[in-house]
């Protein structure tokens, strides 16, 4: 328990050291249409709208022709963020928090897969500082990428656990990941490949 708390604090400090300056940034590009000019994320009364429409409906009058994806968690995240604090800095803060949670989830998964603490630390560290993630952390509109990544990693981690209700938990996290971003649909294929590659020996021993 203490180790996890220490790792979480270390990740938090590292993320804010790397990306903390983003708290002074403003809304840019898609943020304008999705947040500044979107009345549907400015009141909790519009919560049903978050799950029945797309993030662009208010800006483009309709979703058809504007987007072909369904990501209700995107709107829900904006809705509650705006409710707490509508400033651009707070939206950037939420992105940083999401990234902290993602890096911590990666650490937990790496620790389970590699069965080696040092390797798990290195894996999480490389993931945290990798420049490929810069846009996802700094751009508010990248919330779907951060959210679905968190739930994808948690799905894999729960699947590898001995949790009594892991099947239900895995299915639930998979469903939530789908609500964040559609690429989460690949999760069952990943789990199948994992079983075929790493559980083949166990299957042959029991057959």
């Amino acid at each position: 328990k203490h180790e996890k708390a220490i790792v979480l604090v270390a990740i938090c400090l590292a993320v804010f050291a790397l990306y903390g300056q983003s708290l002074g940034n403003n809304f840019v590009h898609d943020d304008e249409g999705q947040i500044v000019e979107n009345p549907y994320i400015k009141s909790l009364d519009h919560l049903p709208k978050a799950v029945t429409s797309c993030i662009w409906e208010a800006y483009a009058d309709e979703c058809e022709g504007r987007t072909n994806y369904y990501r209700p968690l995107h709107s829900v995240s904006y809705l509650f963020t705006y409710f707490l604090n509508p400033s651009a800095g707070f939206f950037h803060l939420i992105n940083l928090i999401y990234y902290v949670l993602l890096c911590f989830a990666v650490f937990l998964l790496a620790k389970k897969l590699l069965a080696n603490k040092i390797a798990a630390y290195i894996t999480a560290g490389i993931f945290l500082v990798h420049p490929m993630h810069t846009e996802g952390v700094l751009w508010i509109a990248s919330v779907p990428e951060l959210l679905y990544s968190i739930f994808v990693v948690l799905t894999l981690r729960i699947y590898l656990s001995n949790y009594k209700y892991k099947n239900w938990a895995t299915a639930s996290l998979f469903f939530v990941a789908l609500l964040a971003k559609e690429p989460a649909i690949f999760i069952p294929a990943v789990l199948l490949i994992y079983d075929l590659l790493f559980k083949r020996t166990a299957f042959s021993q029991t057959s």
Side-chain angles (χ1 to χ4, degrees):
K1 292 182 179 180
H2 293 298
E3 178 199 15
K4 291 179 181 178
I6 292 172
V7 170
L8 181 58
V9 170
I11 289 174
C12 188
L13 292 175
V15 167
F16 277 82
L18 287 173
Y19 298 110
Q21 289 186 339
S22 67
L23 297 176
N25 294 347
N26 211 329
F27 297 112
V28 295
H29 302 299
D30 288 354
D31 303 337
E32 295 289 337
Q34 293 180 357
I35 300 171
V36 179
E37 301 176 39
N38 186 0
Y40 297 138
I41 60 100
K42 297 180 179 179
S43 171
L44 294 181
D45 293 336
H46 295 302
L47 182 58
K49 199 75 173 175
V51 296
T52 59
S53 66
C54 72
I55 194 68
W56 290 108
E57 181 169 331
Y59 183 76
D61 295 326
E62 59 180 9
C63 296
E64 186 176 355
R66 180 69 182 182
T67 178
N68 58 356
Y69 54 71
Y70 178 65
R71 302 172 184 173
L73 281 191
H74 189 180
S75 298
V76 170
S77 176
Y78 282 169
L79 187 68
F80 282 98
T81 301
Y82 194 93
F83 173 76
L84 293 173
N85 189 322
S87 68
F90 192 73
F91 275 84
H92 282 291
L93 174 62
I94 295 300
N95 270 37
L96 296 188
I97 292 173
Y98 285 156
Y99 192 56
V100 167
L101 295 177
L102 174 57
C103 292
F104 185 63
V106 168
F107 165 74
L108 295 178
L109 178 61
K111 186 178 178 183
K112 180 65 176 180
L113 279 173
L114 304 174
N116 184 300
K117 290 182 180 180
I118 301 301
Y121 297 150
I122 294 173
T123 299
I126 293 174
F127 182 89
L128 191 156
V129 302
H130 202 294
M132 182 179 70
H133 303 145
T134 301
E135 180 180 308
V137 180
L138 298 183
W139 191 21
I140 296 172
S142 293
V143 160
E145 281 74 15
L146 294 172
L147 283 176
Y148 109 92
S149 297
I150 291 171
F151 288 110
V152 164
V153 176
L154 288 178
T155 300
L156 299 177
R157 177 61 186 87
I158 289 294
Y159 184 76
L160 298 177
S161 72
N162 295 318
Y163 178 52
K164 181 178 178 181
Y165 302 105
K166 77 170 187 176
N167 291 336
W168 285 102
T170 299
S172 298
L173 288 169
F174 168 51
F175 178 71
V176 175
L178 282 175
L179 296 181
K181 194 174 182 182
E182 58 282 353
I185 194 68
F186 72 82
I187 293 178
V190 172
L191 299 182
L192 177 61
I193 293 172
Y194 173 83
D195 284 347
L196 292 175
L197 291 179
F198 298 101
K199 292 187 177 180
R200 182 176 299 172
T201 303
F203 291 153
S204 12
Q205 289 175 349
T206 57
S207 59

